[in-house]
Amino acid sequence: MEDISASRVPAADGVTARLTVNSPEQMRELGLRLAKLLRAGDLVMLNGELGAGKTTLTRGLGEGLGVRGAVTSPTFVIARVHPSLGDGPPLVHVDAYRLGGGLDEMEDLDLDVSLPDSVIVVEWGEGKVEELTDDRLHVVIHRAVGDTTDEVRHVTVTGIGRRWAAADLTVLTA
């Protein structure tokens, strides 16, 4: 991916890659690359400020997974399911921004039932969905805040658990 830099560093609870993304198109491309690493049963937690690029990244994930439907922010519906157009897993896209509680408040979404057969992406999921699985990918997107037109994003991708222990996340820049 042009103009994206990455480093792989061991983390106490998994493996981490730090990337710099310079445009919304590169964020979507990062989602495309990340989709190649994902399989049914994977949980991806996305965190970052409003406008950081969480939905843009998820749009790339959906495209890379080959799912049906336009991936848009599920803020007002809380969750959207995008079935696979092929033999891959469906994408369950959740926006937990308006949910204040932990997993108890999210029980009605039946994420634990969907997880084995789907890739679940939860925006604003930190502190809310970690109990679903010991293995998850945590993506944090940092951007300049305030009145700025800066498109640069600093993305930290951390694989947590056995599933991600040996993953080479630097392939996200290949």
Side-chain angles (χ1 to χ4, degrees):
M1 195 176 291
E2 189 177 307
D3 294 331
I4 289 187
S5 60
S7 61
R8 181 180 192 271
V9 294
D13 51 1
V15 61
T16 296
R18 295 185 194 340
L19 303 100
T20 301
V21 176
N22 295 302
S23 69
E25 178 58 28
Q26 284 188 352
M27 187 66 76
R28 188 189 65 77
E29 289 176 21
L30 177 58
L32 283 167
R33 294 177 191 282
L34 184 56
K36 293 177 184 177
L37 298 176
L38 298 175
R39 62 183 187 219
D42 284 340
L43 172 65
V44 180
M45 295 170 37
L46 299 179
N47 287 289
E49 299 88 3
L50 287 170
K54 297 177 294 296
T55 301
T56 301
L57 178 71
T58 306
R59 191 170 294 123
L61 282 173
E63 188 178 333
L65 290 171
V67 299
R68 185 178 72 215
V71 175
T72 59
S73 178
T75 299
F76 297 104
V77 295
I78 309 299
R80 284 197 171 94
V81 177
H82 298 275
S84 176
L85 292 172
D87 59 355
L91 172 67
V92 178
H93 184 198
V94 179
D95 187 329
Y97 182 74
R98 294 185 307 135
L99 302 177
L103 192 56
D104 290 342
E105 188 173 341
M106 298 186 73
E107 270 185 17
D108 289 341
L109 298 177
D110 288 331
L111 295 180
D112 55 336
V113 173
S114 300
L115 184 58
D117 302 316
S118 306
V119 170
I120 296 181
V121 175
V122 182
E123 295 186 27
W124 305 96
E126 192 169 7
K128 298 175 183 172
V129 296
E130 290 89 341
E131 295 173 20
L132 283 173
T133 179
D134 291 334
D135 300 308
R136 60 193 172 275
L137 205 56
H138 191 191
V139 179
V140 179
I141 305 170
H142 296 281
R143 69 174 184 92
V145 293
D147 187 16
T148 179
T149 58
D150 188 1
E151 296 287 346
V152 174
R153 305 294 193 256
H154 299 284
V155 182
T156 303
V157 181
T158 303
I160 299 168
R162 294 182 85 190
R163 158 80 172 95
W164 298 103
D168 181 7
L169 298 178
T170 60
V171 300
L172 296 174
T173 63

